[in-house]
């Protein structure tokens, strides 16, 4: 891999395992990092080297830029891959890596800072000619809120400008509700993201969440890998994803993928990223945000295109052009990904940390399991509760779902409650099978 030799993987869990494997396949050395809670983890065992970065709490380890930079220097890494979550979209972290003379495997710091601010990203989309949901700039004066709300119209969403991943969003249906919610929303945004800025956005009812995977290099190459539907959500957190988006008209698919490429070109994007949209019942689509990193659900895109997204990230970071152009990217079949979390759906999805006493993972044609744990490991209360991602491919959507049901029948975990049972119900649900569904469908289903 031109320009790269040794990559520090600044993350944990299944994405750390995924990146380490990609590094080894590319002939690169991989360095793992670990907190106190993760010393005996699977990714540490797989890596060529490892560095301890602090205590179990994420703020004292995986969210500590200084600890990660120190780890990169002490292990002689020449590049840092941030994975997803944690500091993956932190412009300050990317800038620190760049200023240390290392390669940040992701967008440039300036692009991260621009696209990480939701209001700035919205402005970039408008400048690129990409449709956006009607909304406002960040609210400068609370006294302006009535006028701004009148311009946008109810129902609307209060959104943190620095938010992401479905967090920092509050729906409101009246001016009184908005005035009551604004101070709390600003305080929440300051606490969660370090930035109290809030803007208003029109609520698009019963919309689908459709996102487009893009790749861009430093040689002018920008391509899309088609789209995914991520509409099966609970409290704006994705539980099940599909590729391609079921029932999407071909003219809409062509328009939405072209818009994603146009935005990536406009902002000078580099690396892997996802442009996210809402699609209403008429097929109109609206930009909502750009996730400037590899996505949790990238496996299903890899399954329908045959493109290794992480391998392309490494190529791009090494200064090489993309290994493909748009004409060479073909879509084949359908795929569905199920996030199996250590949560109890019967207790309002309460996390259930604890030891994995038994773990049986599925297999067979078209079945992929991404996980960072093995039997005997513990699901820590300090981090995301993901046990495994089950991604299933088929020649068509019907076969993909049939394989997903079989994979779920084979999946078995003891020691913690999980969402596997919920997914067994979902993948057999006639409404979901008929598809498509909207972003509040699951919450309405659960009551």
């Amino acid at each position: 891999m031109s320009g790269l030799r040794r990559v520090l993987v600044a993350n944990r869990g299944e994405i750390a395992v995924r990146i380490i494997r990609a590094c080894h396949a590319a002939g690169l050395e991989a360095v793992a990092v670990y907190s106190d809670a993760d010393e005996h983890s699977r990714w540490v065992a797989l890596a060529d080297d490892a560095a301890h970065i602090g205590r179990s709490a994420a703020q004292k380890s995986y969210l500590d830029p200084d600890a990660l930079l120190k780890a990169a220097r002490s292990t002689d890494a020449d590049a840092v891959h941030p994975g997803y979550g944690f500091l993956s979209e932190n412009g300050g972290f990317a800038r620190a890596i760049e200023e240390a003379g290392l390669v940040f495997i992701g967008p440039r710091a300036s692009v991260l800072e621009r696209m990480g601010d939701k209001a700035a990203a919205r402005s970039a989309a408008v400048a690129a000619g990409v449709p956006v949901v009607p909304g406002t700039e960040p609210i400068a004066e609370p006294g302006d809120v009535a006028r701004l709300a009148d311009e946008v119209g109810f129902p609307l969403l209060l959104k943190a400008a620095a938010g992401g991943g479905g967090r920092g969003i509050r729906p409101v249906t009246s001016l009184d509700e908005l005035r009551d919610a604004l101070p709390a929303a600003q305080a929440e945004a300051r606490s969660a993201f370090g930035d109290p800025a809030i803007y208003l956005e029109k609520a698009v009812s019963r919309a689908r969440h459709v996102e487009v995977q893009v790749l861009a290099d430093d040689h002018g190459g920008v391509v899309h890998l088609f789209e995914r539907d991520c509409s099966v959500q609970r409290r704006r957190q994705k539980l099940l994803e599909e590729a391609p988006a079921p029932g999407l008209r071909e003219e809409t698919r062509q328009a939405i993928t072209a818009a994603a490429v146009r935005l990536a070109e406009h902002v000078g994007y580099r690396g892997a990223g996802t442009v996210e949209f809402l699609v209403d019942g008429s097929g109109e689509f609206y930009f909502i945000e750009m996730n400037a990193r590899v996505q949790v659900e990238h496996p299903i895109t890899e399954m329908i295109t045959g493109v290794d997204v992480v391998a392309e990230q490494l190529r791009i970071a090494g200064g090489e052009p993309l290994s493909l152009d748009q004409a060479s990217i073909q879509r084949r079949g359908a795929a569905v990904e199920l996030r199996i979390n250590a949560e109890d759906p019967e207790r309002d999805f309460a996390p259930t940390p604890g030891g994995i006493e038994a773990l049986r993972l599925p297999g067979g044609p078209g079945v992929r399991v991404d996980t960072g744990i093995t039997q005997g490991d513990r699901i820590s209360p300090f981090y995301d509760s993901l046990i495994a991602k089950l991604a299933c491919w088929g020649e068509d959507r019907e076969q993909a779902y049939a394989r997903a049901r079989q994979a779920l029948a084979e999946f078995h975990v003891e020691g913690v409650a999980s969402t596997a049972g919920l997914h067994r119900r979902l993948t057999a649900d006639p409404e979901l099978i008929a598809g498509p569904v909207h972003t509040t469908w699951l919450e309405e289903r659960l009551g």
Side-chain angles (χ1 to χ4, degrees), residues 257-275:
T257 52
V261 168
R262 197 160 63 244
L263 178 59
E265 291 174 335
H266 176 76
V267 301
Y269 197 79
R270 178 186 68 193
T274 304
V275 185

Side-chain angles (χ1 to χ4, degrees), residues 8-326:
L8 182 95
V9 182
N11 215 295
R12 67 179 303 278
E14 61 85 16
I15 193 60
V17 172
R18 170 74 179 92
I19 296 165
I20 290 167
R21 286 174 170 164
C23 288
H24 288 162
L28 305 177
E29 294 180 354
V31 179
V33 296
Y34 62 93
S35 68
D36 288 348
D38 290 334
E39 182 177 0
H40 303 291
S41 63
R42 186 179 186 186
W43 60 96
V44 169
L46 287 173
D48 301 287
D49 196 359
H52 177 250
I53 53 169
R55 296 165 62 182
S56 298
Q59 292 285 352
K60 302 293 186 180
S61 52
Y62 300 101
L63 285 170
D64 184 343
D66 293 335
L68 291 165
L69 186 55
K70 180 180 177 182
R73 288 170 169 154
S74 68
T75 58
D76 196 29
D78 54 14
V80 175
H81 195 310
Y84 59 71
F86 293 133
L87 295 173
S88 62
E89 294 181 275
N90 186 298
F93 179 56
R95 193 173 301 282
I97 295 298
E98 293 170 357
E99 290 176 351
L102 307 177
V103 175
F104 181 78
I105 301 179
R108 293 174 184 82
S110 58
V111 174
L112 273 178
E113 289 163 349
R114 184 179 186 186
M115 302 312 289
D117 182 303
K118 298 303 177 281
R122 175 188 173 88
S123 297
V126 170
V130 175
V132 300
V133 181
T136 72
E137 296 297 314
I139 298 169
E141 295 293 336
D144 293 338
V145 71
R147 174 182 59 80
L148 293 171
D150 185 62
E151 291 175 1
V152 175
F154 291 98
L156 52 78
L157 302 174
L158 274 172
K159 302 187 78 171
R167 298 181 301 153
I169 302 173
R170 290 186 177 216
V172 292
T173 58
S174 68
L175 184 57
D176 286 343
E177 189 178 344
L178 172 58
R179 284 173 169 152
D180 289 343
L182 182 60
Q186 290 172 322
E188 180 183 348
R190 180 183 289 105
S191 174
F193 310 110
D195 184 348
I198 294 288
Y199 66 101
L200 306 182
E201 189 174 271
K202 179 72 175 176
V204 182
S205 62
R206 302 178 77 82
R208 300 171 65 183
H209 185 149
V210 177
E211 60 188 28
V212 179
Q213 176 74 64
V214 296
L215 294 169
D217 61 27
D218 280 324
H219 304 272
V222 182
V223 299
H224 70 79
L225 302 181
F226 299 100
E227 83 289 348
R228 300 182 288 254
D229 190 303
C230 306
S231 300
V232 180
Q233 304 177 9
R234 174 183 173 274
R235 296 178 181 172
R236 298 186 175 82
Q237 298 300 305
K238 303 169 186 174
L239 295 180
L240 179 153
E241 301 96 7
E242 295 188 53
L248 195 67
R249 293 196 295 266
E250 187 56 34
E251 59 266 32
T252 303
R253 175 173 289 113
Q254 292 180 13
I256 204 169
T257 52
V261 168
R262 197 160 63 244
L263 178 59
E265 291 174 335
H266 176 76
V267 301
Y269 197 79
R270 178 186 68 193
T274 304
V275 185
E276 307 208 359
F277 299 91
L278 293 178
V279 180
D280 68 18
S282 70
E284 294 294 316
F285 61 89
Y286 307 95
F287 169 80
I288 47 175
E289 66 178 345
M290 184 172 192
N291 286 320
R293 51 173 168 77
V294 67
Q295 287 273 94
V296 178
E297 56 271 25
H298 76 275
I300 54 174
T301 291
E302 295 181 330
M303 294 176 106
I304 68 165
T305 63
V307 176
D308 187 324
V309 171
V310 181
E312 292 299 322
Q313 284 188 295
L314 297 173
R315 284 181 61 89
I316 294 163
E320 298 182 25
L322 290 165
S323 67
L324 35 80
D325 58 20
Q326 195 64 64

